[in-house]
Amino acid sequence: MTSRVEIFEMGPRDGLQNEKRMIATADKIALVDLLSQAGFRRIEVTSFVSPKWVPQMGDATQVMAGIARRAGVSYAALTPNLKGYQAAHQARASEVAIFASASEGFSRANLNASIADSLERFRPVADAARADGVPMRGYVSVVTDCPFDGPTAPSDVARVVAALRDMGCYEVSLGDTIGQGRPETIDAMLGAVLNELPADRLAGHYHDTAGRALQNVDASLARGLRVFDAAVGGLGGCPYAPGAAGNVATEALARHLAAQGFDHGLDMAVIDRAAAFARTLREETHA
């Protein structure tokens, strides 16, 4: 029997948010609508953050209003605080996500708060999501390496995963944010995290900066993970890690999984069209 693996599409949010040139709202909607035809169960569409901090996501409400929603697809939004959650809920986000760091240095740079303080900020979001019946996902950044603090201790990742679990996250995505993870460091990290949350509630989120994302996926598959975040066309990066590549490309991950006998359920013809379109957005940005 073929084992099923799910790819959670990140391109419209995690992919586009680091692009310097403002991408037209219509192009963001067109990308989501194309991805909706590919067979994804979950697509992260946008982020309800302050436009002052992430100008690219300033049209979140318009994008959510403009997409053609397809039955069976969950349209997710990142929500860093209660105000963001309320806007996302009003915009009919199917689910929301909160994000914490496994290192103090990255937490202060990315969230302007300690890990403990950032988690406290998310409690009102968690309470509101629970009251509204909105599923909430969690992210942990820099799970193996931090650009400020160096290697991340697996126990530090496990502590943050436990906090997000206790806050009500149905799944926690583990981010190799700067793409410096190696199969052995991913495996060691998972060895600690699996003591807090089972593999069927974890996802791998691996950037391809060092060209090891697919190897890290393989290490995670061996540990039982069956959900992986990816960005069509390899969009993305990290503002705190100059030169960091984007998420592992959806099309590369899908073919890699299929070659190993895993079923991802995606229409590769649609994925390839979406990847080509995504690359035009990046090419225009970096022209």
Side-chain angles (χ1 to χ4, degrees), residues 21-99:
R21 180 186 66 85
M22 295 304 291
I23 293 167
T25 301
D27 285 339
K28 295 175 185 176
I29 292 169
L31 178 60
V32 175
D33 285 351
L34 189 51
L35 291 166
S36 288
Q37 301 169 33
F40 292 105
R41 285 182 51 237
R42 296 179 286 177
I43 300 171
E44 194 166 74
V45 175
T46 189
S47 178
F48 284 84
V49 296
S50 168
K52 174 184 172 186
W53 297 111
V54 188
Q56 189 68 260
M57 298 286 108
D59 58 356
T61 298
Q62 294 93 319
V63 172
M64 290 297 289
I67 59 174
R69 295 171 188 248
R70 197 177 183 96
V73 181
S74 178
Y75 295 96
L78 200 67
T79 55
N81 51 40
L82 183 58
K83 182 179 178 182
Y85 168 79
Q86 290 168 337
H89 187 47
Q90 188 170 0
R92 296 193 302 122
S94 310
E95 62 180 88
V96 297
I98 57 177
F99 51 101

Side-chain angles (χ1 to χ4, degrees), residues 257-287:
L257 292 169
Q260 297 186 65
F262 290 101
D263 174 22
H264 50 66
L266 299 178
D267 184 329
M268 290 308 299
V270 177
I271 294 293
D272 287 340
R273 288 206 307 275
F277 179 57
R279 284 193 290 272
T280 67
L281 301 179
R282 164 168 270 184
E283 286 162 8
E284 289 171 14
T285 302
H286 297 292

